[in-house]
Amino acid sequence: DWYLVVDNRGGDEARAVRVAITARAPEQAALGTPGRPGESGQGAPDAGTDLASALGRVERALTGAFVLDDLEIRVVGCERGNAYAAPARILVCREFIEDLVDDMQGDARRLSDVLLFALMHEASHVLLDAWALPSSRDEATADEMAAVLLVMFGETQRIAAAADYFEGLSAGAPPISPDAPEVGHPDHARRARNLRRWREEGVELARRWQPRLVPHMRTALLRQLADEPRAWTDTDRVRDEQARRDD
């Protein structure tokens, strides 16, 4: 929160003050439509695109694809850099964005990639919880679903960027045994390895998730996938779900 104080106590005459304030937030990529071939994501926006508008596009992309009453993504002040999921809400800490800006050293594309992955991770928590699916609070599951969503939205390259980011965070950190139990998020090195594996699996990974996702897709998306299937589309399951809704 910013405050502007104009102090006129030094004089006894009225004064008129006009103030113009312009702010630019870090950039965020838009999402395409998972059901339309050729609309595989629009890439990073122009430099003038503001964060609020870009987050709104992510909200609309997710709620347009999946059954979710509402989704709000807000940037808030926190005590430390992080992002959080709550019912129908994702809270992105301003400190988290500031940390990313510092880490990326002006590389807007990398910033956009990592921030989009973080949003898909938190959105996975929101969706799994809203649909009462198991493992809604499991961090590794949310990472995997985030990778699935990025594949479905045609943003597979973002997975590699997120893997690079976590790999960089792991550099110089004390090694952790691969057999060590996971508490909260997997360690950075493990997250990077997981993401690289999921990116290589790509379409096959997304197909394995369709039994969990198809029942929660919007009817309009089901129609699109039935008419113009993507590589990851489980056509039989999509048509069965359409028939169930028609009945």
Side-chain angles (χ1 to χ4, degrees):
D1 297 320
W2 294 82
Y3 299 90
L4 173 67
V5 178
V6 180
D7 187 350
N8 193 34
R9 289 175 296 179
D12 54 7
E13 296 182 8
R15 294 286 186 267
V17 178
R18 178 176 296 171
V19 177
I21 299 175
T22 302
R24 175 179 292 174
E27 301 159 0
Q28 166 60 32
L31 289 176
T33 303
R36 295 186 187 276
E39 295 185 10
S40 59
Q42 303 165 30
D46 297 333
T49 302
D50 70 356
L51 185 61
S53 174
L55 294 183
R57 293 200 301 275
V58 175
E59 292 171 7
R60 291 190 294 274
L62 288 168
T63 57
F66 299 106
V67 177
L68 186 67
D69 290 339
D70 194 15
L71 177 65
E72 179 186 23
I73 305 175
R74 294 182 56 195
V75 178
V76 297
C78 309
E79 294 182 357
R80 64 191 183 95
N82 209 336
Y84 302 95
R89 178 177 292 182
I90 297 171
L91 303 178
V92 182
C93 296
R94 190 175 294 111
E95 294 83 353
F96 174 60
I97 298 174
E98 292 169 352
D99 289 344
L100 285 181
V101 171
D102 291 340
D103 290 343
M104 302 309 172
Q105 299 179 342
D107 189 334
R109 179 67 192 198
R110 288 181 62 217
L111 170 63
S112 175
D113 290 344
V114 175
L115 186 54
L116 184 57
F117 173 79
L119 289 173
M120 292 299 102
H121 174 95
E122 300 304 331
S124 297
H125 283 306
V126 173
L127 292 170
L128 290 169
D129 184 63
W131 302 336
L133 294 177
S135 304
S136 64
R137 306 313 305 167
D138 183 74
E139 301 296 346
T141 300
D143 273 356
E144 183 175 351
M145 184 173 172
V148 169
L149 293 175
L150 290 172
V151 170
M152 292 174 61
F153 279 104
E155 300 285 354
T156 309
Q157 76 279 5
R158 315 284 188 157
I159 306 172
D164 290 342
Y165 171 70
F166 289 120
E167 194 168 75
L169 292 180
S170 70
I176 298 177
S177 168
D179 299 324
E182 295 180 2
V183 179
H185 287 282
D187 66 87
H188 298 315
R190 189 173 300 178
R191 294 184 84 178
R193 289 195 300 270
N194 288 343
L195 288 170
R196 293 196 192 286
R197 184 178 76 253
W198 293 327
R199 183 179 185 275
E200 289 177 3
E201 294 176 353
V203 168
E204 291 305 316
L205 172 69
R207 283 186 66 86
R208 291 200 301 271
W209 270 76
Q210 295 311 296
R212 280 174 277 188
L213 298 180
V214 168
H216 304 284
M217 288 180 179
R218 296 282 185 188
T219 301
L221 177 56
L222 292 176
R223 292 196 189 101
Q224 291 174 15
L225 294 176
D227 293 341
E228 301 175 287
R230 304 297 299 271
W232 44 262
T233 304
D234 186 335
T235 307
D236 290 341
R237 193 175 297 276
V238 165
R239 288 174 178 163
D240 287 347
E241 180 64 22
Q242 277 189 296
R244 186 190 68 81
R245 295 186 191 185
D246 290 342
D247 291 341

